[in-house]
Amino acid sequence: CDRIVVLPRSTADEYPGRLDKSFPFVQDIIDAGKSVVDADEEEYHLMLTNSDICPTEIFYQYVELKSRSLILKTRPLIINRMTIPEASLNLPASTDGAFQIKHELALNVMEQAREAVNQNQWKKHPGFDCFVIHSSILKRFTFGDMFLGYPQWSSNFVMALKTMSSGRHIVVQSQNSGTYHMGDSRKWKSKGKVDKSFWKLYPRNELEAMKWCPITVEHPRNVYTLQNYINCGKLFQPLAEESVVPALVQPGYEEIYTNNYEGLKNVADKYYQRKIEWLSTYAAR
């Protein structure tokens, strides 16, 4: 690492009594990335990806070539990863021991992963976890209080990018020049019976904000997903009755949002009824 930036907050800091785990906020990570750019450098590309996403050996060369294209100044690049099944890897049973032992085990697994990529022993992953965005797009919006770790931050981040960049983006399915992830456990995905008790932590008027979150595919089976949906709704909710412009939009870029709003609304309408049903079933009256 050239530089390490300490993030100013976490979910545990912001929501005591509700969220115990510490997850970072997306906008704080973006701001940290911006902070390492030289002050006199007006144009740059920022890459945002999850910490467990692995680049292939020629990934950065690929992104560098792509970033030189004029089209990436107006459209964000979204790189969908490859997923390497755990069955293709001989993972160590334990990582206990000295640092050098752990380091050697990690190098061995990475070598196995590279071999799996080269032999096409991977599956397509439909989600979004790697973004390359030009600085001219980043300054148009803020992503508020949505945080990593739980749904539906990445899908709604894509909606923000599309709406604030002429309604278009470029999606690339990773191959030997992209990114990969080892396994696909989806630990964030709650299973089994829904525990309704955490809904009582929120007053009805706060839960109502969730209705404005464009994409809500996953059922809010845990308090983290519910909080992210609420934060998302507050971000996309119009600031005034006579306008569609939300807190997401930075001053001076309202027209871009308004011009592309129809595409966002068409997506949001698909998920609206399920949010009404959730509120009717779980929220206190």
Side-chain angles (χ1 to χ4, degrees):
C1 295
D2 290 333
R3 216 173 301 182
I4 296 175
V5 179
V6 178
L7 299 179
R9 58 186 180 144
S10 74
T11 50
D13 300 328
E14 295 295 300
Y15 308 108
R18 289 182 178 176
L19 308 186
D20 298 327
K21 299 176 184 176
S22 295
F23 291 100
F25 293 88
V26 179
Q27 188 60 46
D28 291 350
I29 297 173
I30 292 173
D31 291 341
K34 290 179 178 179
S35 72
V36 303
V37 178
D38 293 335
D40 59 348
E41 193 168 352
E42 295 184 2
E43 290 199 20
Y44 57 90
H45 284 88
L46 184 144
M47 188 177 79
L48 172 67
T49 190
N50 292 347
S51 60
D52 57 354
I53 299 301
C54 305
T56 57
E57 291 173 286
I58 61 172
F59 172 74
Y60 290 105
Q61 294 168 279
Y62 170 78
V63 171
E64 172 68 16
L65 289 173
K66 281 282 187 181
S67 66
R68 291 177 183 174
S69 168
L70 288 176
I71 201 169
L72 276 192
K73 289 188 178 182
T74 58
R75 301 183 190 179
L77 176 65
I78 301 170
I79 302 169
N80 287 355
R81 75 179 197 230
M82 299 171 278
T83 296
I84 301 175
E86 288 189 22
S88 300
L89 304 170
N90 182 21
L91 299 175
S94 172
T95 54
D96 293 337
F99 174 81
Q100 186 60 34
I101 295 174
K102 294 179 181 179
H103 182 64
E104 290 175 1
L105 288 171
L107 288 177
N108 179 265
V109 173
M110 292 299 296
E111 184 58 39
Q112 293 179 53
R114 280 195 289 268
E115 187 65 24
V117 169
N118 292 335
Q119 294 184 4
N120 294 322
Q121 296 177 357
W122 51 269
K123 299 178 180 179
K124 290 183 179 180
H125 177 71
F128 309 106
D129 44 36
C130 184
F131 309 87
V132 181
I133 313 160
H134 191 264
S135 53
S136 62
I137 300 173
L138 285 171
K139 67 183 181 181
R140 299 174 186 174
F141 72 96
T142 176
F143 208 52
D145 293 327
M146 292 207 70
F147 53 88
L148 297 179
Y150 282 85
Q152 209 84 50
W153 79 266
S154 60
S155 299
N156 287 295
F157 189 65
V158 171
M159 286 304 307
L161 288 175
K162 287 176 62 176
T163 309
M164 299 308 297
S165 58
S166 304
R168 297 181 180 182
H169 63 298
I170 301 171
V171 178
V172 175
Q173 173 59 54
S174 288
Q175 294 186 25
N176 64 340
S177 57
T179 61
Y180 62 90
H181 183 273
M182 291 179 252
D184 192 23
S185 61
R186 299 192 178 193
K187 293 181 179 180
W188 51 265
K189 195 177 180 75
S190 300
K191 299 176 178 65
K193 187 177 179 180
V194 179
D195 176 13
K196 298 185 288 187
S197 62
F198 60 83
W199 286 77
K200 297 177 182 179
L201 298 172
Y202 299 88
R204 176 80 186 207
N205 64 331
E206 190 172 357
L207 290 169
E208 290 281 345
M210 178 176 59
K211 293 189 296 186
W212 295 97
C213 184
I215 301 178
T216 50
V217 177
E218 295 292 332
H219 191 294
R221 292 172 178 269
N222 56 70
V223 69
Y224 294 90
T225 301
L226 181 60
Q227 184 68 62
N228 236 1
Y229 282 174
I230 292 171
N231 293 357
C232 173
K234 291 177 180 178
L235 185 64
F236 283 91
Q237 183 175 3
L239 293 173
E241 290 186 9
E242 66 278 6
S243 171
V244 297
V245 179
L248 169 89
V249 182
Q250 293 289 62
Y253 298 99
E254 295 85 354
E255 186 175 354
I256 294 176
Y257 184 88
T258 303
N259 289 342
N260 298 317
Y261 173 70
E262 194 63 29
L264 183 148
K265 184 177 182 301
N266 289 339
V267 173
D269 286 347
K270 298 177 182 178
Y271 300 97
Y272 185 77
Q273 189 55 42
R274 70 176 56 185
K275 285 168 281 195
I276 299 301
E277 292 172 0
W278 292 339
L279 288 168
S280 175
T281 302
Y282 303 118
R285 299 186 182 279

